[in-house]
Short mmCIF file of all heavy atoms in Angstrom, two decimals:
data_model
loop_
_atom_site.label_atom_id
_atom_site.label_comp_id
_atom_site.label_asym_id
_atom_site.label_seq_id
_atom_site.Cartn_x
_atom_site.Cartn_y
_atom_site.Cartn_z
N LEU A 85 55.21 3.00 59.43
CA LEU A 85 55.65 3.55 58.16
C LEU A 85 57.04 3.08 57.78
O LEU A 85 57.92 2.93 58.64
CB LEU A 85 55.61 5.08 58.22
CG LEU A 85 54.24 5.69 57.95
CD1 LEU A 85 54.10 7.05 58.61
CD2 LEU A 85 53.98 5.77 56.46
N LYS A 86 57.21 2.83 56.48
CA LYS A 86 58.47 2.38 55.91
C LYS A 86 58.95 3.42 54.90
O LYS A 86 58.15 4.18 54.36
CB LYS A 86 58.30 1.02 55.24
CG LYS A 86 57.76 -0.05 56.16
CD LYS A 86 57.58 -1.37 55.42
CE LYS A 86 57.07 -2.46 56.35
NZ LYS A 86 56.94 -3.76 55.64
N THR A 87 60.24 3.40 54.62
CA THR A 87 60.76 4.37 53.65
C THR A 87 60.09 4.22 52.30
O THR A 87 59.90 5.21 51.58
CB THR A 87 62.29 4.23 53.51
OG1 THR A 87 62.61 2.89 53.18
CG2 THR A 87 62.99 4.62 54.83
N GLU A 88 59.71 3.02 51.95
CA GLU A 88 59.06 2.79 50.66
C GLU A 88 57.64 3.34 50.60
O GLU A 88 56.99 3.31 49.55
CB GLU A 88 59.07 1.30 50.27
CG GLU A 88 58.51 0.38 51.33
CD GLU A 88 59.61 -0.24 52.18
OE1 GLU A 88 60.56 0.46 52.57
OE2 GLU A 88 59.49 -1.46 52.46
N ASP A 89 57.12 3.81 51.72
CA ASP A 89 55.81 4.47 51.73
C ASP A 89 55.91 5.94 51.29
O ASP A 89 54.89 6.62 51.13
CB ASP A 89 55.17 4.42 53.11
CG ASP A 89 54.85 3.01 53.55
OD1 ASP A 89 54.43 2.19 52.69
OD2 ASP A 89 55.02 2.71 54.75
N THR A 90 57.13 6.44 51.12
CA THR A 90 57.31 7.81 50.68
C THR A 90 56.66 7.99 49.30
O THR A 90 56.98 7.29 48.35
CB THR A 90 58.81 8.15 50.60
OG1 THR A 90 59.36 8.14 51.91
CG2 THR A 90 59.01 9.52 49.98
N ALA A 91 55.73 8.93 49.24
CA ALA A 91 54.95 9.13 48.01
C ALA A 91 54.01 10.30 48.22
O ALA A 91 53.82 10.77 49.34
CB ALA A 91 54.14 7.89 47.68
N THR A 92 53.40 10.74 47.12
CA THR A 92 52.27 11.64 47.20
C THR A 92 51.02 10.79 47.18
O THR A 92 50.87 9.93 46.31
CB THR A 92 52.26 12.64 46.04
OG1 THR A 92 53.49 13.35 46.02
CG2 THR A 92 51.11 13.62 46.21
N TYR A 93 50.14 11.03 48.14
CA TYR A 93 48.93 10.23 48.29
C TYR A 93 47.72 11.02 47.79
O TYR A 93 47.56 12.19 48.11
CB TYR A 93 48.74 9.85 49.75
CG TYR A 93 49.70 8.76 50.19
CD1 TYR A 93 51.05 9.03 50.35
CD2 TYR A 93 49.25 7.45 50.44
CE1 TYR A 93 51.94 8.02 50.74
CE2 TYR A 93 50.12 6.46 50.84
CZ TYR A 93 51.47 6.74 50.98
OH TYR A 93 52.35 5.76 51.36
N TYR A 94 46.91 10.33 47.02
CA TYR A 94 45.73 10.94 46.41
C TYR A 94 44.47 10.12 46.73
O TYR A 94 44.55 8.90 46.87
CB TYR A 94 45.85 10.97 44.89
CG TYR A 94 47.04 11.70 44.36
CD1 TYR A 94 48.26 11.08 44.16
CD2 TYR A 94 46.95 13.06 43.98
CE1 TYR A 94 49.36 11.75 43.66
CE2 TYR A 94 48.02 13.74 43.47
CZ TYR A 94 49.24 13.08 43.31
OH TYR A 94 50.32 13.76 42.81
N CYS A 95 43.35 10.79 46.79
CA CYS A 95 42.08 10.06 46.87
C CYS A 95 41.28 10.36 45.60
O CYS A 95 41.41 11.43 44.99
CB CYS A 95 41.29 10.49 48.10
SG CYS A 95 40.75 12.21 48.15
N ALA A 96 40.50 9.39 45.23
CA ALA A 96 39.68 9.52 44.02
C ALA A 96 38.71 8.36 43.95
O ALA A 96 38.81 7.41 44.75
CB ALA A 96 40.57 9.56 42.77
N THR A 97 37.84 8.40 42.98
CA THR A 97 36.94 7.29 42.73
C THR A 97 37.74 6.01 42.48
O THR A 97 38.80 6.05 41.85
CB THR A 97 36.06 7.59 41.52
OG1 THR A 97 35.34 8.82 41.75
CG2 THR A 97 35.07 6.48 41.26
N ASP A 98 37.27 4.92 42.99
CA ASP A 98 37.88 3.59 42.77
C ASP A 98 37.86 3.30 41.26
O ASP A 98 36.79 3.21 40.63
CB ASP A 98 37.08 2.55 43.53
CG ASP A 98 37.57 1.13 43.33
OD1 ASP A 98 38.55 0.93 42.61
OD2 ASP A 98 36.93 0.23 43.89
N ARG A 99 39.02 3.13 40.68
CA ARG A 99 39.11 2.96 39.23
C ARG A 99 38.71 1.56 38.78
O ARG A 99 38.61 1.31 37.58
CB ARG A 99 40.52 3.26 38.75
CG ARG A 99 41.55 2.21 39.17
CD ARG A 99 42.93 2.59 38.69
NE ARG A 99 43.91 1.58 39.04
CZ ARG A 99 45.19 1.81 39.09
NH1 ARG A 99 45.67 3.00 38.81
NH2 ARG A 99 46.04 0.83 39.41
N THR A 100 38.50 0.63 39.72
CA THR A 100 38.18 -0.73 39.33
C THR A 100 36.68 -0.95 39.17
O THR A 100 36.25 -2.05 38.77
CB THR A 100 38.71 -1.74 40.38
OG1 THR A 100 37.97 -1.57 41.61
CG2 THR A 100 40.18 -1.53 40.64
N VAL A 101 35.87 0.04 39.48
CA VAL A 101 34.41 -0.14 39.37
C VAL A 101 33.99 0.11 37.92
O VAL A 101 34.74 0.67 37.13
CB VAL A 101 33.67 0.79 40.33
CG1 VAL A 101 34.06 0.47 41.77
CG2 VAL A 101 33.94 2.27 40.02
N PRO A 102 32.79 -0.31 37.58
CA PRO A 102 32.34 -0.13 36.19
C PRO A 102 32.34 1.32 35.72
O PRO A 102 32.18 2.24 36.53
CB PRO A 102 30.91 -0.71 36.21
CG PRO A 102 30.93 -1.71 37.32
CD PRO A 102 31.85 -1.11 38.34
#
Side-chain angles (χ1 to χ4, degrees):
L85 277 155
K86 303 179 179 182
T87 54
E88 52 262 43
D89 295 323
T90 295
T92 303
Y93 286 71
Y94 302 88
C95 64
T97 303
D98 177 2
R99 70 182 182 200
T100 68
V101 299

